[in-house]
Amino acid sequence: MSSGGDTIFGKIIRREIPAQIVHETEHVLAFRDISPVAPSHILVIPKKPISSVASAGPADRELLGELLLEAAEIARREGLEADGYRIVTNIGSFGGQTVPHLHLHIIGGRQCHWPPG
Ligand code: 5GP
């Protein structure tokens, strides 16, 4: 089992810094974003330190599926399913990624707009 890598999210996985954890499995951790952009803003991350979807490989196929299914289940439990919500993953500089550890943003509780900024 990987210990999470050398990012702020690795530190959260290793409990070196606190976070409002909402869900944890063997491979996945979910916690509230420290700077929420919506009433519900949860980050869902693999414990394996993959920097983004762009760095994932065939060996991560099952993990990526688990990540998405866990995100949908967390959103359901958060009460977001009826009105809908958004799942976003940012990649690299133009994608607006600031933490180089793959994460899904669950954003809900308000109307989202399209196209995103
Ligand atoms: P990105 O911009 O990489 O897609 O998203 C990174 C997210 O991580 C941002 O929404 C940011 O607010 C959040 N974040 C950064 N540092 C921390 C932290 O220490 N704790 C928590 N809970 N969220 C963080």
Side-chain angles (χ1 to χ4, degrees):
M1 170 65 63
S2 151
S3 63
D6 191 24
T7 68
I8 197 89
F9 291 173
K11 289 182 169 50
I12 289 173
I13 291 166
R14 295 189 300 272
R15 306 301 203 269
E16 290 168 12
I17 62 166
Q20 270 188 275
I21 292 170
V22 297
H23 188 63
E24 180 167 24
T25 69
E26 185 183 354
H27 302 295
V28 172
L29 188 69
F31 51 91
R32 296 194 187 277
D33 198 293
I34 202 167
S35 184
V37 300
S40 288
H41 187 173
I42 295 168
L43 302 172
V44 188
I45 70 172
K47 293 182 180 176
K48 180 179 176 182
I50 303 166
S51 20
S52 78
V53 168
S55 308
D60 302 312
R61 179 181 294 267
E62 203 172 322
L63 178 59
L64 295 189
E66 185 181 338
L67 206 61
L68 211 44
L69 289 173
E70 290 291 354
E73 179 57 30
I74 290 162
R76 195 171 296 127
R77 281 200 270 112
E78 187 82 353
L80 302 178
E81 194 171 82
D83 287 332
Y85 57 94
R86 184 168 287 172
I87 292 176
V88 176
T89 189
N90 296 325
I91 299 159
S93 174
F94 272 20
Q97 184 178 9
T98 57
V99 179
H101 183 125
L102 170 59
H103 48 284
L104 304 181
H105 295 256
I106 302 173
I107 295 166
R110 66 161 170 82
Q111 179 66 55
C112 291
H113 300 286
W114 195 263

